[in-house]
Amino acid sequence: MFIGFDYGTASCSVATMQGNTPQMVPLEGDNYFIPSTLCAPTRESVSEYLYRFFNVSPTDKLGEQLLRSAIAANRHEGMELEHDDLIFGQAALERYLDDPEYVYYIKSPKSFLGANGLRDLQIRFFEDLVCSMMVNIKQKAESHLEQQVTQTVIGRPVNFQGLGGEQANQQAESILKNAAKRAGFVDIAFQFEPVAAGLDYESQLTEDKTVLVVDIGGGTTDCSLMRMGPSYRTQTNRKDSLLSHSGYRVGGNDLDIYLAFERVMPSLGRGSKMLNGIYMPQVQFWNPIAINNVAAQTDFYMASNLKVLEQLKSEAENPELIDRLLTVHEQTLGYQIVRHAEETKIAMSNQEKFSSILNLGGQTLETKIDQSQLEAAISNPVAKIVELIRSTLEQASEKPDVIYVTGGSARSPILRSQIEKELPGVPIVSGDFFGSVTAGLARYAQQVFS
């Protein structure tokens, strides 16, 4: 049996086909979408758990080395893993929020797969991380469908997050493919996420159209200009109907990060001065919330940076603000800050003003924001998304008849307004903001594996 598998930055989902209709599969209770999160007692617990409880073995000597090191580290800490020590989705987030200082928590591992400078052991660890999430999802899907799933089409962005160009894309796709094989999938194919979203929209068309698909995901935004409709629907290879596409590592997570940087981090000292009149270094306020950047997170949370922060506090005009930043370091609270910003962004989708309270290590910080402040805060990533649209259109010799927007952040009225300004008079339509990619992947899987 086959599934379409959207291994997303913000959430994961799968779908199969019932006749000619995609059918989403519940993965977390009755929910079709499971947050792309994982929580474990320690970082090393992931690899040992995958081997011990999911019965997934390493496939090479480096993987075996990683597993041995993980087991040794856990035994050194006196840790014996239990069956419920590795948890996923909403439950993982809740455990992290309950005890952020003493667990290993990761959100959106897809964001790291194309990162530059990853050593071989780091690549094997990310493979273990992705594989454990895939095993969990595969088991839940098989339990619901009551049959084994061995074939999958996995969605991928045009460009993964990473500065290495095609080499970064190959690295990321290789991690996904190896993880999927180890998770138990036998036949594995990939499809660009915006193309998949377009295939789902195409099923509704009664005449051929040129469609600009704008897929604003959690970690990347992808744009594809495609010819689609009844004349193209049965084609397995859509290369000739794909006129142009582009993608970049900017998405919903970036909107959240920039919003946190502009509206929350000033309460932690961003923009304040030292006693000598020099502004506090910006990097110390960016790194803790740059949750899609491995190097930034490592730099902020390393032990040596604690001394730097303590020195900044001693030289600060407002040491109480830097004391909050120290709390973020000590309790690993960067994810909580970004989550707070995400909740604010979502609330602002349908209201002009919003006020919320952030609990930060026992302190309460109030955030107030209106639409103009939100627009200013996220202007940088919004501009990058608009530039992607321009780039896609410049590659092609024609303009779209319609714009199809999808992805969670496509609900943003600010983004939709910017797209309308870029292409005035071209109608904008949307389907299932979260499920269109998954449905398109299932449709493509039916063509590939039937």
Side-chain angles (χ1 to χ4, degrees), residues 256-274 278-290 300 309 312-313 316-326 328 337 360 365 373 376-380:
D256 304 334
I257 290 167
Y258 272 87
L259 181 56
F261 187 65
E262 296 292 340
R263 303 303 302 175
V264 179
M265 298 312 285
S267 298
L268 281 69
R270 177 181 173 259
S272 65
K273 294 181 178 181
M274 294 185 283
I278 297 175
Y279 284 100
M280 287 285 171
Q282 295 270 51
V283 69
Q284 293 290 358
F285 303 96
W286 179 261
N287 284 354
I289 58 173
F300 182 78
L309 295 175
L312 289 176
K313 178 184 174 182
E317 285 186 352
N318 305 105
E320 71 281 1
L321 299 182
I322 307 304
D323 195 51
R324 294 171 179 169
L325 190 62
L326 278 162
V328 173
I337 294 173
L360 196 69
L365 305 178
Q373 292 169 329
I378 64 176
S379 60
N380 183 291

Short mmCIF file of all heavy atoms in Angstrom, two decimals, residues 256-274 278-290 300 309 312-313 316-326 328 337 360 365 373 376-380:
data_model
loop_
_atom_site.label_atom_id
_atom_site.label_comp_id
_atom_site.label_asym_id
_atom_site.label_seq_id
_atom_site.Cartn_x
_atom_site.Cartn_y
_atom_site.Cartn_z
N ASP A 256 7.68 33.93 12.60
CA ASP A 256 7.63 33.84 14.06
C ASP A 256 8.92 34.38 14.69
O ASP A 256 8.87 35.11 15.69
CB ASP A 256 7.42 32.39 14.49
CG ASP A 256 6.18 31.77 13.89
OD1 ASP A 256 5.24 32.52 13.54
OD2 ASP A 256 6.16 30.54 13.73
N ILE A 257 10.05 34.01 14.11
CA ILE A 257 11.34 34.42 14.66
C ILE A 257 11.51 35.94 14.58
O ILE A 257 11.92 36.59 15.55
CB ILE A 257 12.49 33.69 13.93
CG1 ILE A 257 12.49 32.20 14.29
CG2 ILE A 257 13.84 34.31 14.27
CD1 ILE A 257 13.37 31.35 13.40
N TYR A 258 11.18 36.51 13.43
CA TYR A 258 11.31 37.97 13.29
C TYR A 258 10.34 38.70 14.21
O TYR A 258 10.68 39.74 14.78
CB TYR A 258 11.08 38.39 11.83
CG TYR A 258 12.34 38.36 11.00
CD1 TYR A 258 12.76 37.19 10.37
CD2 TYR A 258 13.14 39.49 10.87
CE1 TYR A 258 13.93 37.16 9.62
CE2 TYR A 258 14.30 39.48 10.12
CZ TYR A 258 14.68 38.31 9.49
OH TYR A 258 15.84 38.28 8.75
N LEU A 259 9.15 38.15 14.36
CA LEU A 259 8.18 38.77 15.27
C LEU A 259 8.70 38.72 16.71
O LEU A 259 8.60 39.71 17.45
CB LEU A 259 6.83 38.05 15.16
CG LEU A 259 5.70 38.58 16.04
CD1 LEU A 259 5.46 40.06 15.80
CD2 LEU A 259 4.42 37.78 15.79
N ALA A 260 9.27 37.59 17.10
CA ALA A 260 9.84 37.48 18.44
C ALA A 260 11.01 38.45 18.63
O ALA A 260 11.14 39.09 19.68
CB ALA A 260 10.31 36.05 18.69
N PHE A 261 11.84 38.56 17.61
CA PHE A 261 13.01 39.44 17.69
C PHE A 261 12.60 40.90 17.86
O PHE A 261 13.18 41.64 18.66
CB PHE A 261 13.85 39.27 16.41
CG PHE A 261 15.16 39.99 16.42
CD1 PHE A 261 16.16 39.64 17.32
CD2 PHE A 261 15.40 41.02 15.53
CE1 PHE A 261 17.38 40.30 17.32
CE2 PHE A 261 16.61 41.69 15.52
CZ PHE A 261 17.61 41.33 16.42
N GLU A 262 11.58 41.31 17.10
CA GLU A 262 11.17 42.72 17.11
C GLU A 262 10.28 43.08 18.29
O GLU A 262 10.37 44.20 18.81
CB GLU A 262 10.44 43.06 15.80
CG GLU A 262 11.30 42.94 14.55
CD GLU A 262 12.38 44.00 14.48
OE1 GLU A 262 12.25 45.03 15.17
OE2 GLU A 262 13.36 43.79 13.73
N ARG A 263 9.43 42.15 18.73
CA ARG A 263 8.42 42.51 19.72
C ARG A 263 8.63 41.91 21.10
O ARG A 263 8.09 42.42 22.08
CB ARG A 263 7.03 42.10 19.22
CG ARG A 263 6.64 42.68 17.87
CD ARG A 263 6.69 44.19 17.84
NE ARG A 263 5.82 44.79 18.85
CZ ARG A 263 5.75 46.08 19.11
NH1 ARG A 263 6.51 46.93 18.44
NH2 ARG A 263 4.93 46.54 20.03
N VAL A 264 9.40 40.81 21.21
CA VAL A 264 9.61 40.17 22.51
C VAL A 264 11.01 40.44 23.04
O VAL A 264 11.18 40.79 24.22
CB VAL A 264 9.36 38.65 22.42
CG1 VAL A 264 9.61 38.00 23.78
CG2 VAL A 264 7.95 38.35 21.96
N MET A 265 12.02 40.32 22.19
CA MET A 265 13.40 40.40 22.68
C MET A 265 13.78 41.76 23.27
O MET A 265 14.68 41.82 24.11
CB MET A 265 14.37 40.00 21.57
CG MET A 265 14.21 38.56 21.09
SD MET A 265 14.12 37.32 22.41
CE MET A 265 15.84 37.25 22.92
N PRO A 266 13.11 42.89 22.91
CA PRO A 266 13.41 44.13 23.63
C PRO A 266 13.15 44.03 25.13
O PRO A 266 13.82 44.70 25.93
CB PRO A 266 12.46 45.16 22.97
CG PRO A 266 12.34 44.66 21.57
CD PRO A 266 12.29 43.16 21.70
N SER A 267 12.21 43.16 25.53
CA SER A 267 11.95 42.97 26.96
C SER A 267 13.05 42.17 27.64
O SER A 267 13.09 42.06 28.87
CB SER A 267 10.61 42.24 27.16
OG SER A 267 9.54 43.00 26.65
N LEU A 268 13.96 41.60 26.83
CA LEU A 268 15.10 40.84 27.34
C LEU A 268 16.41 41.60 27.13
O LEU A 268 17.48 41.04 27.33
CB LEU A 268 15.18 39.46 26.69
CG LEU A 268 14.23 38.38 27.22
CD1 LEU A 268 12.78 38.67 26.84
CD2 LEU A 268 14.62 37.01 26.68
N GLY A 269 16.31 42.84 26.69
CA GLY A 269 17.50 43.67 26.58
C GLY A 269 17.89 44.08 25.18
O GLY A 269 18.82 44.89 25.01
N ARG A 270 17.24 43.56 24.15
CA ARG A 270 17.58 43.98 22.79
C ARG A 270 17.31 45.47 22.63
O ARG A 270 16.25 45.98 22.98
CB ARG A 270 16.76 43.20 21.77
CG ARG A 270 17.04 43.68 20.35
CD ARG A 270 16.23 42.96 19.29
NE ARG A 270 16.45 43.61 18.01
CZ ARG A 270 15.60 44.48 17.46
NH1 ARG A 270 14.45 44.75 18.04
NH2 ARG A 270 15.89 45.06 16.30
N GLY A 271 18.31 46.19 22.09
CA GLY A 271 18.18 47.63 21.91
C GLY A 271 18.58 48.44 23.12
O GLY A 271 18.62 49.67 23.05
N SER A 272 18.91 47.76 24.25
CA SER A 272 19.38 48.48 25.43
C SER A 272 20.89 48.71 25.33
O SER A 272 21.55 48.19 24.43
CB SER A 272 19.04 47.70 26.70
OG SER A 272 19.74 46.46 26.74
N LYS A 273 21.41 49.50 26.26
CA LYS A 273 22.82 49.88 26.19
C LYS A 273 23.60 49.38 27.40
O LYS A 273 23.04 49.08 28.46
CB LYS A 273 22.95 51.40 26.11
CG LYS A 273 22.40 52.02 24.83
CD LYS A 273 22.61 53.53 24.82
CE LYS A 273 22.10 54.15 23.53
NZ LYS A 273 22.31 55.62 23.50
N MET A 274 24.91 49.34 27.19
CA MET A 274 25.82 49.09 28.30
C MET A 274 26.17 50.41 28.96
O MET A 274 25.86 51.50 28.44
CB MET A 274 27.07 48.37 27.78
CG MET A 274 26.77 46.96 27.25
SD MET A 274 28.23 46.02 26.76
CE MET A 274 28.58 46.77 25.18
N ILE A 278 27.42 51.85 24.59
CA ILE A 278 27.36 50.98 23.42
C ILE A 278 26.15 50.05 23.53
O ILE A 278 25.83 49.54 24.60
CB ILE A 278 28.66 50.16 23.30
CG1 ILE A 278 29.86 51.09 23.08
CG2 ILE A 278 28.57 49.14 22.15
CD1 ILE A 278 31.19 50.40 23.07
N TYR A 279 25.48 49.83 22.39
CA TYR A 279 24.32 48.94 22.39
C TYR A 279 24.75 47.49 22.64
O TYR A 279 25.84 47.07 22.26
CB TYR A 279 23.58 49.01 21.05
CG TYR A 279 22.76 50.27 20.89
CD1 TYR A 279 23.24 51.35 20.15
CD2 TYR A 279 21.51 50.38 21.49
CE1 TYR A 279 22.49 52.51 20.01
CE2 TYR A 279 20.74 51.53 21.34
CZ TYR A 279 21.23 52.59 20.61
OH TYR A 279 20.49 53.74 20.48
N MET A 280 23.87 46.75 23.26
CA MET A 280 24.09 45.33 23.48
C MET A 280 24.24 44.62 22.12
O MET A 280 23.55 44.98 21.16
CB MET A 280 22.91 44.71 24.24
CG MET A 280 22.86 45.10 25.71
SD MET A 280 24.11 44.20 26.63
CE MET A 280 24.01 45.04 28.22
N PRO A 281 25.12 43.63 22.03
CA PRO A 281 25.31 42.93 20.76
C PRO A 281 24.03 42.20 20.32
O PRO A 281 23.47 41.40 21.07
CB PRO A 281 26.44 41.94 21.05
CG PRO A 281 26.48 41.80 22.54
CD PRO A 281 26.01 43.11 23.10
N GLN A 282 23.59 42.48 19.10
CA GLN A 282 22.33 41.92 18.59
C GLN A 282 22.33 40.40 18.55
O GLN A 282 21.29 39.76 18.72
CB GLN A 282 22.06 42.47 17.18
CG GLN A 282 21.83 43.98 17.12
CD GLN A 282 20.37 44.35 17.27
OE1 GLN A 282 19.72 43.92 18.20
NE2 GLN A 282 19.87 45.15 16.35
N VAL A 283 23.50 39.82 18.29
CA VAL A 283 23.56 38.38 18.10
C VAL A 283 23.07 37.62 19.33
O VAL A 283 22.51 36.52 19.22
CB VAL A 283 25.01 37.95 17.72
CG1 VAL A 283 25.97 38.13 18.89
CG2 VAL A 283 25.03 36.53 17.21
N GLN A 284 23.26 38.20 20.52
CA GLN A 284 22.82 37.51 21.74
C GLN A 284 21.30 37.46 21.86
O GLN A 284 20.77 36.68 22.66
CB GLN A 284 23.42 38.20 22.98
CG GLN A 284 24.93 38.08 23.09
CD GLN A 284 25.38 36.66 23.40
OE1 GLN A 284 24.58 35.74 23.58
NE2 GLN A 284 26.70 36.47 23.47
N PHE A 285 20.60 38.26 21.09
CA PHE A 285 19.14 38.25 21.13
C PHE A 285 18.54 37.52 19.92
O PHE A 285 17.37 37.15 19.95
CB PHE A 285 18.62 39.70 21.19
CG PHE A 285 19.19 40.46 22.36
CD1 PHE A 285 20.31 41.26 22.20
CD2 PHE A 285 18.65 40.32 23.62
CE1 PHE A 285 20.86 41.94 23.27
CE2 PHE A 285 19.20 41.00 24.70
CZ PHE A 285 20.30 41.80 24.53
N TRP A 286 19.37 37.33 18.90
CA TRP A 286 18.92 36.59 17.73
C TRP A 286 19.14 35.08 17.90
O TRP A 286 18.25 34.27 17.62
CB TRP A 286 19.66 37.08 16.48
CG TRP A 286 19.28 36.34 15.24
CD1 TRP A 286 19.96 35.31 14.65
CD2 TRP A 286 18.10 36.53 14.45
NE1 TRP A 286 19.29 34.87 13.54
CE2 TRP A 286 18.14 35.60 13.39
CE3 TRP A 286 17.02 37.41 14.52
CZ2 TRP A 286 17.14 35.52 12.43
CZ3 TRP A 286 16.02 37.34 13.57
CH2 TRP A 286 16.09 36.39 12.53
N ASN A 287 20.31 34.70 18.37
CA ASN A 287 20.67 33.28 18.43
C ASN A 287 19.71 32.42 19.24
O ASN A 287 19.39 31.29 18.83
CB ASN A 287 22.09 33.11 18.95
CG ASN A 287 23.13 33.45 17.90
OD1 ASN A 287 22.80 33.72 16.75
ND2 ASN A 287 24.40 33.46 18.28
N PRO A 288 19.22 32.88 20.40
CA PRO A 288 18.34 31.98 21.17
C PRO A 288 17.01 31.67 20.49
O PRO A 288 16.40 30.64 20.77
CB PRO A 288 18.10 32.75 22.48
CG PRO A 288 18.37 34.18 22.15
CD PRO A 288 19.47 34.13 21.12
N ILE A 289 16.57 32.55 19.58
CA ILE A 289 15.28 32.32 18.92
C ILE A 289 15.44 31.82 17.48
O ILE A 289 14.44 31.52 16.82
CB ILE A 289 14.41 33.59 18.94
CG1 ILE A 289 15.13 34.75 18.27
CG2 ILE A 289 14.01 33.93 20.38
CD1 ILE A 289 14.26 36.00 18.11
N ALA A 290 16.69 31.71 17.00
CA ALA A 290 16.93 31.21 15.64
C ALA A 290 16.85 29.69 15.66
O ALA A 290 17.85 28.98 15.49
CB ALA A 290 18.29 31.69 15.14
N PHE A 300 24.63 30.04 21.26
CA PHE A 300 23.97 30.69 22.40
C PHE A 300 23.98 29.81 23.63
O PHE A 300 24.24 30.28 24.74
CB PHE A 300 22.54 31.09 22.05
CG PHE A 300 21.84 31.79 23.18
CD1 PHE A 300 22.11 33.13 23.44
CD2 PHE A 300 20.95 31.12 24.01
CE1 PHE A 300 21.49 33.79 24.51
CE2 PHE A 300 20.33 31.77 25.08
CZ PHE A 300 20.61 33.11 25.32
N LEU A 309 27.27 36.28 28.83
CA LEU A 309 26.02 36.90 29.24
C LEU A 309 26.13 37.51 30.64
O LEU A 309 25.60 38.59 30.90
CB LEU A 309 24.88 35.88 29.19
CG LEU A 309 24.52 35.33 27.81
CD1 LEU A 309 23.46 34.24 27.93
CD2 LEU A 309 24.01 36.44 26.89
N LEU A 312 27.93 40.73 30.26
CA LEU A 312 27.04 41.75 29.72
C LEU A 312 26.10 42.29 30.80
O LEU A 312 25.82 43.50 30.86
CB LEU A 312 26.22 41.18 28.56
CG LEU A 312 26.97 40.89 27.26
CD1 LEU A 312 26.04 40.24 26.24
CD2 LEU A 312 27.57 42.17 26.67
N LYS A 313 25.60 41.42 31.65
CA LYS A 313 24.72 41.86 32.72
C LYS A 313 25.44 42.82 33.67
O LYS A 313 24.86 43.83 34.10
CB LYS A 313 24.20 40.65 33.50
CG LYS A 313 23.30 41.01 34.68
CD LYS A 313 22.88 39.78 35.47
CE LYS A 313 22.11 40.19 36.72
NZ LYS A 313 21.72 39.02 37.55
N ALA A 316 25.58 46.26 32.05
CA ALA A 316 24.35 46.76 31.44
C ALA A 316 23.75 47.93 32.21
O ALA A 316 23.82 47.99 33.45
CB ALA A 316 23.32 45.64 31.36
N GLU A 317 23.16 48.86 31.46
CA GLU A 317 22.39 49.93 32.09
C GLU A 317 21.14 49.38 32.76
O GLU A 317 20.69 49.89 33.79
CB GLU A 317 21.98 50.98 31.04
CG GLU A 317 23.09 51.89 30.58
CD GLU A 317 22.58 52.98 29.65
OE1 GLU A 317 21.39 52.92 29.25
OE2 GLU A 317 23.37 53.88 29.31
N ASN A 318 20.57 48.33 32.17
CA ASN A 318 19.37 47.68 32.72
C ASN A 318 19.65 46.20 32.95
O ASN A 318 19.20 45.35 32.18
CB ASN A 318 18.19 47.86 31.76
CG ASN A 318 17.92 49.32 31.43
OD1 ASN A 318 18.24 49.79 30.34
ND2 ASN A 318 17.34 50.05 32.37
N PRO A 319 20.39 45.88 34.01
CA PRO A 319 20.78 44.47 34.22
C PRO A 319 19.60 43.53 34.40
O PRO A 319 19.71 42.34 34.12
CB PRO A 319 21.64 44.54 35.49
CG PRO A 319 21.25 45.82 36.16
CD PRO A 319 20.91 46.76 35.06
N GLU A 320 18.44 44.06 34.84
CA GLU A 320 17.28 43.19 35.04
C GLU A 320 16.79 42.61 33.71
O GLU A 320 16.23 41.50 33.69
CB GLU A 320 16.15 43.95 35.74
CG GLU A 320 15.45 45.00 34.92
CD GLU A 320 16.20 46.33 34.80
OE1 GLU A 320 17.32 46.43 35.36
OE2 GLU A 320 15.68 47.25 34.16
N LEU A 321 17.02 43.33 32.61
CA LEU A 321 16.63 42.81 31.31
C LEU A 321 17.54 41.66 30.89
O LEU A 321 17.07 40.63 30.38
CB LEU A 321 16.67 43.92 30.25
CG LEU A 321 15.75 45.11 30.47
CD1 LEU A 321 15.89 46.10 29.31
CD2 LEU A 321 14.30 44.68 30.62
N ILE A 322 18.83 41.83 31.09
CA ILE A 322 19.78 40.78 30.73
C ILE A 322 19.61 39.57 31.64
O ILE A 322 19.89 38.43 31.25
CB ILE A 322 21.22 41.30 30.77
CG1 ILE A 322 21.35 42.58 29.93
CG2 ILE A 322 22.20 40.26 30.26
CD1 ILE A 322 20.92 42.42 28.49
N ASP A 323 19.12 39.80 32.84
CA ASP A 323 18.85 38.68 33.74
C ASP A 323 17.79 37.76 33.13
O ASP A 323 17.85 36.53 33.28
CB ASP A 323 18.37 39.21 35.10
CG ASP A 323 18.42 38.14 36.17
OD1 ASP A 323 19.48 37.49 36.32
OD2 ASP A 323 17.40 37.92 36.86
N ARG A 324 16.84 38.33 32.41
CA ARG A 324 15.84 37.51 31.71
C ARG A 324 16.49 36.69 30.60
O ARG A 324 16.13 35.53 30.38
CB ARG A 324 14.75 38.41 31.12
CG ARG A 324 13.89 39.12 32.15
CD ARG A 324 13.00 40.15 31.49
NE ARG A 324 12.14 40.83 32.46
CZ ARG A 324 11.42 41.91 32.20
NH1 ARG A 324 11.45 42.42 30.96
NH2 ARG A 324 10.67 42.46 33.12
N LEU A 325 17.44 37.30 29.91
CA LEU A 325 18.16 36.58 28.85
C LEU A 325 18.95 35.43 29.45
O LEU A 325 19.05 34.35 28.85
CB LEU A 325 19.08 37.54 28.09
CG LEU A 325 19.72 37.01 26.81
CD1 LEU A 325 18.66 36.66 25.78
CD2 LEU A 325 20.70 38.04 26.23
N LEU A 326 19.52 35.63 30.63
CA LEU A 326 20.23 34.55 31.32
C LEU A 326 19.28 33.41 31.66
O LEU A 326 19.65 32.23 31.57
CB LEU A 326 20.88 35.09 32.60
CG LEU A 326 22.23 35.80 32.41
CD1 LEU A 326 22.56 36.66 33.62
CD2 LEU A 326 23.33 34.77 32.18
N VAL A 328 16.70 32.54 29.91
CA VAL A 328 16.50 31.82 28.64
C VAL A 328 17.63 30.84 28.41
O VAL A 328 17.40 29.69 28.01
CB VAL A 328 16.40 32.82 27.47
CG1 VAL A 328 16.36 32.07 26.13
CG2 VAL A 328 15.16 33.69 27.61
N ILE A 337 9.70 31.17 23.48
CA ILE A 337 9.55 32.54 22.98
C ILE A 337 9.00 32.52 21.56
O ILE A 337 8.08 33.28 21.22
CB ILE A 337 10.90 33.29 23.04
CG1 ILE A 337 11.33 33.46 24.50
CG2 ILE A 337 10.79 34.64 22.36
CD1 ILE A 337 12.74 34.04 24.66
N LEU A 360 7.95 33.55 31.41
CA LEU A 360 9.35 33.28 31.11
C LEU A 360 10.10 32.99 32.40
O LEU A 360 10.54 33.89 33.11
CB LEU A 360 9.98 34.48 30.40
CG LEU A 360 11.31 34.24 29.69
CD1 LEU A 360 11.11 33.34 28.48
CD2 LEU A 360 11.93 35.56 29.25
N LEU A 365 5.69 38.50 31.00
CA LEU A 365 5.94 39.61 30.10
C LEU A 365 4.72 39.80 29.21
O LEU A 365 4.23 38.86 28.60
CB LEU A 365 7.16 39.32 29.21
CG LEU A 365 8.47 38.97 29.92
CD1 LEU A 365 9.56 38.66 28.89
CD2 LEU A 365 8.92 40.09 30.83
N GLN A 373 2.33 47.22 13.49
CA GLN A 373 3.55 46.71 14.15
C GLN A 373 3.89 45.31 13.68
O GLN A 373 5.07 44.98 13.49
CB GLN A 373 3.34 46.74 15.67
CG GLN A 373 3.26 48.14 16.25
CD GLN A 373 2.79 48.16 17.69
OE1 GLN A 373 2.00 47.30 18.12
NE2 GLN A 373 3.26 49.14 18.45
N ALA A 376 5.44 45.59 10.20
CA ALA A 376 6.82 46.07 10.27
C ALA A 376 7.76 44.97 10.77
O ALA A 376 8.87 44.81 10.27
CB ALA A 376 6.90 47.28 11.19
N ALA A 377 7.30 44.17 11.74
CA ALA A 377 8.14 43.13 12.33
C ALA A 377 8.51 42.05 11.34
O ALA A 377 9.64 41.54 11.33
CB ALA A 377 7.44 42.53 13.55
N ILE A 378 7.56 41.68 10.46
CA ILE A 378 7.80 40.55 9.55
C ILE A 378 8.12 41.02 8.13
O ILE A 378 8.10 40.21 7.20
CB ILE A 378 6.60 39.59 9.54
CG1 ILE A 378 5.35 40.27 8.98
CG2 ILE A 378 6.34 39.04 10.94
CD1 ILE A 378 4.15 39.33 8.84
N SER A 379 8.43 42.29 7.97
CA SER A 379 8.64 42.83 6.62
C SER A 379 9.81 42.17 5.89
O SER A 379 9.76 42.00 4.66
CB SER A 379 8.88 44.34 6.69
OG SER A 379 10.02 44.65 7.48
N ASN A 380 10.85 41.77 6.62
CA ASN A 380 12.01 41.15 5.97
C ASN A 380 11.64 39.82 5.32
O ASN A 380 11.87 39.64 4.11
CB ASN A 380 13.15 40.99 6.98
CG ASN A 380 14.41 40.42 6.37
OD1 ASN A 380 14.46 39.27 5.98
ND2 ASN A 380 15.46 41.22 6.32
#
